[in-house]
């Protein structure tokens, strides 16, 4: 089993804003060859509140770090996985969360989140277990 995490929209947004705790963790995980997946829909949502330079910084990280992968919705299988999750989130219409969950389930990775509370309402609607680990400054 491979080791990895799926980054959620809040974590991606914090990367763009230059949060040092998040950026240092991502860099350390990459240095230790831990795969990090960035769902494309979560990336799109995260960029809503980022400036152009901040969005470019996130894009640069995705392109430069060897173990960060952009996860597009590129096949009918991807669409089916996304649809299976979004069917449970109809009350919220949270496509960033739906894509993050779909990628996490497909890869068997937990979600790495900058804000655990973001996931409480999502997890309440899912029929599956979803592991979410919160990034915190332990220092």
């Amino acid at each position: 089993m491979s080791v990895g995490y799926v980054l959620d929209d809040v974590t991606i947004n914090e990367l763009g804003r230059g949060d040092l705790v998040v950026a240092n963790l991502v860099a350390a995980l990459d240095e230790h060859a831990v795969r990090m997946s960035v769902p494309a829909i979560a990336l799109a949502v995260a960029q809503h509140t980022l400036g152009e330079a901040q969005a470019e910084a996130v894009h640069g990280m995705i392109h430069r770090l060897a173990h960060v992968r952009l996860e597009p919705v590129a096949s009918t299988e991807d669409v089916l996985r996304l649809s299976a999750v979004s069917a449970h989130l109809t009350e919220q219409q949270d496509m960033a969360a739906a894509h993050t969950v779909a990628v996490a389930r497909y890869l068997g990775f937990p979600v790495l989140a900058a804000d655990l509370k973001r996931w409480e309402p999502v997890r309440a609607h899912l029929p599956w277990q979803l592991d979410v680990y919160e990034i915190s400054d332990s220092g």
Side-chain angles (χ1 to χ4, degrees):
M1 180 175 156
S2 61
V3 177
Y5 297 97
V6 179
L7 305 183
D8 75 350
D9 55 319
V10 176
T11 302
I12 298 164
N13 187 277
E14 290 302 314
L15 276 169
R17 293 183 183 284
D19 182 298
L20 290 178
V21 172
V22 174
N24 288 338
L25 177 61
V26 168
L29 290 172
D30 187 71
E31 187 176 307
H32 287 89
V34 175
R35 179 175 168 176
M36 290 162 283
S37 293
V38 176
I41 295 173
L43 175 61
V45 169
Q47 291 180 176
H48 287 178
T49 60
L50 295 178
E52 187 176 332
Q54 293 169 321
E56 287 177 12
V58 172
H59 295 180
M61 176 215 55
I62 292 169
H63 292 295
R64 281 193 287 282
L65 296 180
H67 303 285
V68 175
R69 304 274 189 278
L70 183 64
E71 303 292 343
V73 180
S75 69
T76 55
E77 290 84 10
D78 293 338
V79 171
L80 288 172
R81 284 190 289 271
L82 181 58
S83 178
V85 175
S86 65
H88 296 283
L89 301 179
T90 56
E91 204 172 286
Q92 296 177 290
Q93 291 299 317
D94 189 343
M95 291 307 290
H99 194 205
T100 300
V101 172
V103 170
R105 290 191 72 225
Y106 175 68
L107 296 174
F109 293 167
V111 174
L112 197 55
D115 181 9
L116 203 53
K117 289 183 192 255
R118 185 260 187 275
W119 287 97
E120 289 173 4
V122 173
R123 290 165 92 179
H125 289 93
L126 295 176
W128 319 284
Q129 171 70 29
L130 177 68
D131 292 326
V132 181
Y133 299 126
E134 186 172 31
I135 300 167
S136 65
D137 185 1
S138 60

Short mmCIF file of all heavy atoms in Angstrom, two decimals, residues 79-109:
data_model
loop_
_atom_site.label_atom_id
_atom_site.label_comp_id
_atom_site.label_asym_id
_atom_site.label_seq_id
_atom_site.Cartn_x
_atom_site.Cartn_y
_atom_site.Cartn_z
N VAL A 79 -15.77 10.43 -13.46
CA VAL A 79 -17.11 11.02 -13.35
C VAL A 79 -18.00 10.13 -12.49
O VAL A 79 -18.74 10.63 -11.63
CB VAL A 79 -17.73 11.23 -14.75
CG1 VAL A 79 -19.19 11.64 -14.64
CG2 VAL A 79 -16.94 12.28 -15.53
N LEU A 80 -17.94 8.83 -12.68
CA LEU A 80 -18.75 7.91 -11.87
C LEU A 80 -18.38 8.00 -10.39
O LEU A 80 -19.26 8.01 -9.52
CB LEU A 80 -18.60 6.48 -12.38
CG LEU A 80 -19.28 6.18 -13.71
CD1 LEU A 80 -18.90 4.78 -14.19
CD2 LEU A 80 -20.78 6.31 -13.59
N ARG A 81 -17.08 8.07 -10.08
CA ARG A 81 -16.65 8.19 -8.68
C ARG A 81 -17.14 9.50 -8.08
O ARG A 81 -17.62 9.54 -6.95
CB ARG A 81 -15.13 8.08 -8.58
CG ARG A 81 -14.61 6.67 -8.73
CD ARG A 81 -13.14 6.56 -8.39
NE ARG A 81 -12.28 7.19 -9.38
CZ ARG A 81 -11.80 6.56 -10.45
NH1 ARG A 81 -12.12 5.30 -10.68
NH2 ARG A 81 -11.02 7.18 -11.29
N LEU A 82 -17.04 10.58 -8.84
CA LEU A 82 -17.49 11.89 -8.37
C LEU A 82 -19.00 11.89 -8.16
O LEU A 82 -19.51 12.38 -7.15
CB LEU A 82 -17.08 12.98 -9.37
CG LEU A 82 -17.46 14.41 -9.04
CD1 LEU A 82 -16.87 14.84 -7.70
CD2 LEU A 82 -16.97 15.33 -10.15
N SER A 83 -19.72 11.30 -9.08
CA SER A 83 -21.18 11.23 -8.98
C SER A 83 -21.61 10.42 -7.77
O SER A 83 -22.58 10.77 -7.08
CB SER A 83 -21.75 10.64 -10.27
OG SER A 83 -23.14 10.52 -10.18
N ALA A 84 -20.92 9.33 -7.49
CA ALA A 84 -21.26 8.48 -6.35
C ALA A 84 -21.14 9.24 -5.04
O ALA A 84 -21.93 9.04 -4.12
CB ALA A 84 -20.36 7.25 -6.33
N VAL A 85 -20.17 10.13 -4.94
CA VAL A 85 -19.99 10.93 -3.72
C VAL A 85 -20.97 12.10 -3.71
O VAL A 85 -21.65 12.35 -2.70
CB VAL A 85 -18.55 11.45 -3.60
CG1 VAL A 85 -18.42 12.37 -2.40
CG2 VAL A 85 -17.56 10.30 -3.50
N SER A 86 -21.08 12.82 -4.81
CA SER A 86 -21.92 14.03 -4.83
C SER A 86 -23.39 13.70 -4.59
O SER A 86 -24.14 14.54 -4.09
CB SER A 86 -21.74 14.81 -6.13
OG SER A 86 -22.20 14.08 -7.24
N ALA A 87 -23.80 12.48 -4.88
CA ALA A 87 -25.18 12.07 -4.61
C ALA A 87 -25.51 12.15 -3.12
O ALA A 87 -26.66 12.36 -2.74
CB ALA A 87 -25.41 10.65 -5.12
N HIS A 88 -24.50 12.01 -2.27
CA HIS A 88 -24.70 12.08 -0.82
C HIS A 88 -24.57 13.50 -0.28
O HIS A 88 -24.90 13.75 0.88
CB HIS A 88 -23.70 11.18 -0.10
CG HIS A 88 -23.89 9.75 -0.44
ND1 HIS A 88 -24.90 8.98 0.09
CD2 HIS A 88 -23.21 8.94 -1.29
CE1 HIS A 88 -24.83 7.76 -0.42
NE2 HIS A 88 -23.82 7.71 -1.25
N LEU A 89 -24.11 14.42 -1.10
CA LEU A 89 -23.89 15.80 -0.65
C LEU A 89 -24.86 16.77 -1.31
O LEU A 89 -24.54 17.95 -1.48
CB LEU A 89 -22.44 16.22 -0.93
CG LEU A 89 -21.36 15.36 -0.28
CD1 LEU A 89 -19.97 15.87 -0.66
CD2 LEU A 89 -21.52 15.30 1.23
N THR A 90 -26.03 16.30 -1.67
CA THR A 90 -26.99 17.15 -2.38
C THR A 90 -27.48 18.31 -1.53
O THR A 90 -27.81 19.37 -2.05
CB THR A 90 -28.20 16.32 -2.85
OG1 THR A 90 -28.78 15.67 -1.73
CG2 THR A 90 -27.79 15.30 -3.90
N GLU A 91 -27.50 18.13 -0.21
CA GLU A 91 -27.95 19.19 0.69
C GLU A 91 -26.99 20.39 0.64
O GLU A 91 -27.40 21.53 0.77
CB GLU A 91 -28.01 18.64 2.11
CG GLU A 91 -28.95 19.37 3.01
CD GLU A 91 -29.08 18.64 4.33
OE1 GLU A 91 -29.74 17.59 4.36
OE2 GLU A 91 -28.50 19.13 5.31
N GLN A 92 -25.72 20.13 0.43
CA GLN A 92 -24.70 21.18 0.45
C GLN A 92 -24.22 21.62 -0.93
O GLN A 92 -23.69 22.70 -1.05
CB GLN A 92 -23.47 20.70 1.22
CG GLN A 92 -23.73 20.43 2.67
CD GLN A 92 -22.47 19.91 3.29
OE1 GLN A 92 -22.05 18.79 3.03
NE2 GLN A 92 -21.86 20.73 4.11
N GLN A 93 -24.31 20.76 -1.91
CA GLN A 93 -23.74 21.04 -3.24
C GLN A 93 -22.28 21.46 -3.12
O GLN A 93 -21.88 22.51 -3.60
CB GLN A 93 -24.56 22.10 -3.98
CG GLN A 93 -25.93 21.62 -4.41
CD GLN A 93 -25.85 20.44 -5.37
OE1 GLN A 93 -25.04 20.43 -6.29
NE2 GLN A 93 -26.68 19.44 -5.16
N ASP A 94 -21.50 20.66 -2.45
CA ASP A 94 -20.08 20.95 -2.19
C ASP A 94 -19.23 20.10 -3.12
O ASP A 94 -18.77 19.02 -2.76
CB ASP A 94 -19.78 20.67 -0.72
CG ASP A 94 -18.41 21.14 -0.30
OD1 ASP A 94 -17.55 21.39 -1.18
OD2 ASP A 94 -18.18 21.24 0.92
N MET A 95 -19.02 20.61 -4.34
CA MET A 95 -18.28 19.83 -5.33
C MET A 95 -16.79 19.70 -5.00
O MET A 95 -16.17 18.71 -5.36
CB MET A 95 -18.49 20.40 -6.73
CG MET A 95 -19.91 20.20 -7.26
SD MET A 95 -20.49 18.48 -7.19
CE MET A 95 -19.48 17.74 -8.47
N ALA A 96 -16.23 20.69 -4.30
CA ALA A 96 -14.82 20.57 -3.89
C ALA A 96 -14.67 19.40 -2.93
O ALA A 96 -13.75 18.58 -3.06
CB ALA A 96 -14.34 21.87 -3.25
N ALA A 97 -15.58 19.30 -1.97
CA ALA A 97 -15.54 18.18 -1.03
C ALA A 97 -15.83 16.86 -1.75
O ALA A 97 -15.16 15.85 -1.49
CB ALA A 97 -16.55 18.40 0.09
N ALA A 98 -16.80 16.87 -2.66
CA ALA A 98 -17.15 15.65 -3.38
C ALA A 98 -15.94 15.12 -4.16
O ALA A 98 -15.65 13.92 -4.13
CB ALA A 98 -18.33 15.90 -4.31
N HIS A 99 -15.23 16.01 -4.85
CA HIS A 99 -14.07 15.55 -5.62
C HIS A 99 -12.95 15.09 -4.70
O HIS A 99 -12.28 14.09 -4.97
CB HIS A 99 -13.59 16.65 -6.57
CG HIS A 99 -12.65 16.13 -7.61
ND1 HIS A 99 -11.72 16.93 -8.24
CD2 HIS A 99 -12.46 14.89 -8.14
CE1 HIS A 99 -11.02 16.21 -9.09
NE2 HIS A 99 -11.46 14.96 -9.05
N THR A 100 -12.77 15.79 -3.59
CA THR A 100 -11.74 15.39 -2.62
C THR A 100 -12.04 14.00 -2.07
O THR A 100 -11.16 13.15 -1.99
CB THR A 100 -11.66 16.42 -1.48
OG1 THR A 100 -11.32 17.70 -2.05
CG2 THR A 100 -10.61 16.04 -0.46
N VAL A 101 -13.30 13.75 -1.70
CA VAL A 101 -13.69 12.44 -1.18
C VAL A 101 -13.54 11.37 -2.26
O VAL A 101 -13.03 10.27 -1.98
CB VAL A 101 -15.14 12.47 -0.65
CG1 VAL A 101 -15.62 11.07 -0.29
CG2 VAL A 101 -15.25 13.40 0.56
N ALA A 102 -13.95 11.67 -3.47
CA ALA A 102 -13.83 10.69 -4.57
C ALA A 102 -12.38 10.29 -4.79
O ALA A 102 -12.07 9.10 -4.94
CB ALA A 102 -14.45 11.25 -5.84
N VAL A 103 -11.48 11.27 -4.79
CA VAL A 103 -10.06 10.98 -4.98
C VAL A 103 -9.52 10.19 -3.78
O VAL A 103 -8.78 9.20 -3.95
CB VAL A 103 -9.25 12.28 -5.19
CG1 VAL A 103 -7.75 12.02 -5.14
CG2 VAL A 103 -9.63 12.92 -6.52
N ALA A 104 -9.90 10.59 -2.57
CA ALA A 104 -9.43 9.90 -1.37
C ALA A 104 -9.89 8.43 -1.36
O ALA A 104 -9.11 7.53 -1.02
CB ALA A 104 -9.93 10.63 -0.12
N ARG A 105 -11.14 8.21 -1.73
CA ARG A 105 -11.65 6.83 -1.76
C ARG A 105 -10.94 6.00 -2.84
O ARG A 105 -10.58 4.85 -2.61
CB ARG A 105 -13.16 6.83 -2.03
CG ARG A 105 -13.95 7.36 -0.86
CD ARG A 105 -15.44 7.12 -1.01
NE ARG A 105 -15.69 5.69 -0.83
CZ ARG A 105 -16.47 4.97 -1.61
NH1 ARG A 105 -17.10 5.52 -2.63
NH2 ARG A 105 -16.65 3.68 -1.38
N TYR A 106 -10.75 6.60 -4.00
CA TYR A 106 -10.11 5.88 -5.11
C TYR A 106 -8.67 5.50 -4.76
O TYR A 106 -8.23 4.38 -5.01
CB TYR A 106 -10.15 6.73 -6.37
CG TYR A 106 -9.41 6.13 -7.53
CD1 TYR A 106 -9.88 4.98 -8.15
CD2 TYR A 106 -8.25 6.71 -8.01
CE1 TYR A 106 -9.20 4.42 -9.22
CE2 TYR A 106 -7.57 6.16 -9.08
CZ TYR A 106 -8.04 5.02 -9.68
OH TYR A 106 -7.36 4.46 -10.73
N LEU A 107 -7.93 6.44 -4.18
CA LEU A 107 -6.52 6.20 -3.87
C LEU A 107 -6.32 5.49 -2.53
O LEU A 107 -5.23 4.97 -2.27
CB LEU A 107 -5.75 7.52 -3.87
CG LEU A 107 -5.68 8.26 -5.21
CD1 LEU A 107 -5.02 9.61 -5.03
CD2 LEU A 107 -4.94 7.42 -6.25
N GLY A 108 -7.33 5.51 -1.68
CA GLY A 108 -7.18 4.93 -0.35
C GLY A 108 -6.35 5.81 0.57
O GLY A 108 -5.72 5.32 1.51
N PHE A 109 -6.37 7.13 0.33
CA PHE A 109 -5.60 8.09 1.12
C PHE A 109 -6.53 8.88 2.03
O PHE A 109 -7.67 9.16 1.66
CB PHE A 109 -4.89 9.10 0.22
CG PHE A 109 -3.79 8.56 -0.65
CD1 PHE A 109 -3.29 9.35 -1.69
CD2 PHE A 109 -3.25 7.31 -0.47
CE1 PHE A 109 -2.27 8.88 -2.50
CE2 PHE A 109 -2.23 6.83 -1.28
CZ PHE A 109 -1.74 7.62 -2.31
#
